[in-house]
Amino acid sequence: MKATVFIAYILLLMYFVVGVAFIYLFVLVVRALKKYIKSEPVRKEKAESAKSLGEVIKRYRTQRKMTQEFVAESLGVTRQAVSKWESGVSHS
């Protein structure tokens, strides 16, 4: 009889702990969603200011007064490849 009561208390305690854990998990998810929703303007700004690899290559190349031919020879590709990278033309 005492063992049965003890097991019942243990099960009740386990259900309580699991319930508290789910409530805590729910609170964490709600906080994360609120933070994500508040960050929408920042995400939009980041997306707008994101530059493609080609844009970055062109900016650095022109800042350092390098030609496409020089960059192409340094990388072992054709000048046309560098031009395509910079203009954003994709490979078909």
Side-chain angles (χ1 to χ4, degrees), residues 6 15 38 45 52 76 85 91:
F6 180 71
Y15 285 130
K38 286 182 181 179
E45 181 182 334
S52 70
W85 296 340
H91 299 51

Side-chain angles (χ1 to χ4, degrees), residues 17-60:
V17 169
V18 170
V20 169
F22 275 117
I23 291 171
Y24 183 66
L25 182 62
F26 179 76
V27 168
L28 289 177
V29 169
V30 168
R31 284 182 184 170
L33 286 172
K34 285 172 72 175
K35 187 174 183 179
Y36 179 78
I37 290 169
K38 286 182 181 179
S39 70
E40 184 177 4
V42 174
R43 286 183 281 119
K44 283 184 179 179
E45 181 182 334
K46 221 175 186 182
E48 290 172 0
S49 67
K51 297 197 181 287
S52 70
L53 180 60
E55 290 170 328
V56 172
I57 291 172
K58 184 173 184 174
R59 182 168 40 112
Y60 282 115

Side-chain angles (χ1 to χ4, degrees), residues 1 3 5 14-15 17 19 27 34 37 39 41-42 54 56 58 62 64-65 67 77-78 86-87 90-92:
M1 178 80 161
V5 172
M14 284 176 39
Y15 285 130
V17 169
V27 168
K34 285 172 72 175
I37 290 169
S39 70
V42 174
V56 172
K58 184 173 184 174
T62 54
R64 285 154 182 81
K65 300 188 182 350
T67 63
V77 296
T78 63
E86 291 181 356
S87 65
S90 64
H91 299 51
S92 299

